[in-house]
Amino acid sequence: VNKTTIRDIARLAGVSPATVSFAINGKKGVGEETRERILRIIEETGFVPDNNSRRFFFRKNFTVALVGSPSASPFSDIFYYEVAKGLDHESGARGYSVIFTELRLENGRLSFPKVVTTRDTDGLVFLQQVPAEIRSGLRELGLPYVVVDASGREEGFVSVYTDYEQIAYAATAYLIGRGHSAIAFLGANRVPAFYMSTFLGYKRAMEELRAPIPPQWMQAGANDDESAARCMDILLESEPRPTAVFSATDMIAIAAMNRAREKGVRIPEGVSFIGIDDIQLSSYVYPPLTTVRVDKFEMGKAAMDLLIRLIEGQKPESRQVAPGGVMERGSVSWNR
Amino acid sequence: VNKTTIRDIARLAGVSPATVSFAINGKKGVGEETRERILRIIEETGFVPDNNSRRFFFRKNFTVALVGSPSASPFSDIFYYEVAKGLDHESGARGYSVIFTELRLENGRLSFPKVVTTRDTDGLVFLQQVPAEIRSGLRELGLPYVVVDASGREEGFVSVYTDYEQIAYAATAYLIGRGHSAIAFLGANRVPAFYMSTFLGYKRAMEELRAPIPPQWMQAGANDDESAARCMDILLESEPRPTAVFSATDMIAIAAMNRAREKGVRIPEGVSFIGIDDIQLSSYVYPPLTTVRVDKFEMGKAAMDLLIRLIEGQKPESRQVAPGGVMERGSVSWNR
DNA sequence: TTGAAAGCGCTAACAA
DNA sequence: TTGTTAGCGCTTTCAA
């Protein structure tokens, strides 16, 4: 198949290739009627300039890689997907494509996939955080990158984040609004900044209640299903026992909920639960989990915008995405 | 940043660029010691040949696009992710990258994203089926494509599939092995070929029981959460009532399970459930769903292999991926 | 306003 | 076995 080139169009229009190039890219230096004639011919022939030639000339890929990491799953499976949709949406409009890839895990060490090491992409998108083991490697690469759903933005990178302090406050305040005051906190300290934000939001809401919080109501180590279950055990045995639990993520809430049920606690009558994220899972567990939504699609779009700006040499600021509202489902009951 | 080129390497090695190119690509026509010297210098300098130049020269992208469709049910979210991992794994080893993209939905019509229409990729991967509305467009494009998890392989395309008849048989046989004989079928007819396979597998297992099946035990229209719930209602009201339900997918099983619980049925004591897929959700619902595993990672790998062969001009056959085993969890009880 | 010409980094045909 | 050379399709500089 011999694709038509800019030369063919030039011949058809009776002009030089350079003029066609100018016309296509909307540069000045082409007469109005010449431009129209050229564009009409392009329209008719369905000509599309060869992208690989442009890549070659500009020494640029017009490509961005979404870099997943095995350590992030399975908590983030669904998270990945919605962010990816947002990235795709925005990138399409800006002339970029999104490459899907994952960090390689070989005998216990994380490394970049070949697309990245060969610099066969213009920028990277990370989720939540850049795994510590690859930070120095990332610096060496010198590729622009953004972090989506970064917890806190202390460090020197561009990120898309949401206000988890505010969200945690909203979640706790929701429980308070439903009559609860014995509210426990179930947090994950694997990412300290995330822990901080959610805890502070919880604390702020509790302060307005002016009631002291028993220390064993504040659990920090719920980093996966099992540790969340252990934390839940402690909560259930604590005296007095909380009537509601605020969890920093839906996954934690679900693991804790399952544990409580195993121990014979009725939900939400015995203990109420609220989470953060609104992952797909949350509507399917029983009872469906009440949670505060985080707009991951929007985060993906924002990340793409920021990353393209970085690639093009701008110095964009990190961007905040507004939190969604409370998704009221079946895991919170009234407490009177 | 002025990247080092093949010319620089040639100069350092005291040979011509062509010789370096031969050495890199393992072509014959280079002396053994010259080759070693060149490769050593490449090693030392960390030189990586510019991929965009190769794309330009070969008029090829070394890229494959995973084409999602917005109309696909939320059921497939997790499916996407595991297949994508398989695609990434295999493509990395073969020098390709995976682009993540979605069909565009504009005023009710599906269309291809720009990456595809501009032929800025070498091949496409579809999930389950090619949406009917874009089939003719796909033909016009003339891009190679494969369908992952295709239901049946009647039509003229290359696909990766698994034997759902066999899987359905295994699932039903598992219930029979647990003492059940009043077993209902809950299927989805949105994709007829998939419906066929699962139903026939169910029927084959039931035939061995030599017991007649009341027609209302065979429900075909469970295509989403709500229709699955309605089907479950019918099952619960049918006389005699089945003691177990085989569902063609985990999502259907979960929706039906939730419905049964709403109606006050205890699971698995009242009714047992088994599904197909082993999606992540299945281990988190309550009770955790017993299901037959489908190896989606393997499907992704196989799809990539097939697609690359197609791109390289071979005529590969569709490939079958072996079904996984039964994942025994908490949704099936013994029936005596 | 338009055209001619050079060149991006690589590969492959051909010549030495 | 190795070097020379041309050229892939595009953009941009420079000259007309």
Side-chain angles (χ1 to χ4, degrees), chain B residues 82-96:
Chain B
E82 289 192 25
V83 169
K85 272 174 143 174
L87 291 170
D88 176 47
H89 186 91
E90 182 69 15
S91 69
R94 308 277 288 267
Y96 281 73

Side-chain angles (χ1 to χ4, degrees), chain A residues 294-308:
Chain A
V294 173
D295 195 340
K296 293 149 228 149
F297 182 80
E298 195 55 40
M299 283 182 151
K301 288 209 300 184
M304 195 68 209
D305 177 55
L306 255 35
L307 187 48
I308 291 177

Side-chain angles (χ1 to χ4, degrees), chain A residues 29-84:
Chain A
V30 193
E32 195 46 48
E33 50 183 328
T34 332
R35 157 164 286 136
E36 274 170 19
R37 181 159 36 96
I38 293 172
L39 292 182
R40 187 164 38 75
I41 292 175
I42 289 177
E43 180 77 20
E44 285 166 3
T45 54
F47 167 74
V48 177
D50 178 42
N51 226 329
N52 285 334
S53 303
R54 306 188 75 238
R55 290 191 229 274
F56 176 53
F57 180 85
F58 290 112
R59 263 163 285 176
K60 195 176 152 180
N61 297 90
F62 300 102
T63 264
V64 146
L66 171 57
V67 185
S69 92
S71 63
S73 65
F75 277 66
S76 33
D77 280 8
I78 297 137
F79 186 93
Y80 274 130
Y81 184 64
E82 290 191 24
V83 170

Side-chain angles (χ1 to χ4, degrees), chain A residues 15 51 124 145 152 161 170 216-217 222 232 280 312 315:
Chain A
V15 296
N51 226 329
L124 309 177
Y145 67 96
Y161 60 97
Q216 66 275 32
W217 284 8
M232 192 63 217
Q280 187 205 22
E312 291 174 350
K315 306 266 175 258

